[in-house]
Amino acid sequence: MTNVRPTALVIAGSSGIGAASARALAARGHRVAVLARGEGADVLAEELGGLAVRGDYTGAGVVEAAVEQVVSAWGGSTCWSTARATAPRESSRS
């Protein structure tokens, strides 16, 4: 049996509640990917030994692209977290 670390993608995770969630998940042994617009994603991901994904999660396809990056880097995600209550804009896909 293999011991696979759980993986989390924290949406809007570069500051405030999102950053606190990312740190808590990392402290519990998760690999953490941080999705955020600014360089805070890079800073926090480096602090946690995780993955920074830059983008505005409200944009069409941004969350999907972030998921693809996590899957590419780590093979998937076992946990999703969002620190914002605003829903992403509707995708142009049918």
Side-chain angles (χ1 to χ4, degrees):
M1 185 166 146
T2 60
N3 185 11
V4 178
R5 282 179 67 192
T7 301
L9 171 60
V10 180
I11 300 167
S14 65
S15 64
I17 293 170
S21 297
R23 288 184 178 105
L25 288 162
R28 287 168 178 76
H30 285 70
R31 294 180 294 191
V32 177
V34 179
L35 170 61
R37 291 184 298 233
E39 65 185 40
D42 303 312
V43 172
L44 185 58
E46 183 174 337
E47 172 191 325
L48 303 177
L51 175 69
V53 181
R54 299 279 293 269
D56 181 350
Y57 78 95
T58 64
V62 173
V63 173
E64 292 88 344
V67 170
E68 289 176 10
Q69 288 183 38
V70 172
V71 169
S72 177
W74 294 329
S77 181
T78 56
C79 175
W80 307 95
S81 173
T82 183
R84 299 293 298 193
T86 307
R89 289 188 294 268
E90 195 63 33
S91 171
S92 61
R93 292 185 278 175
S94 315

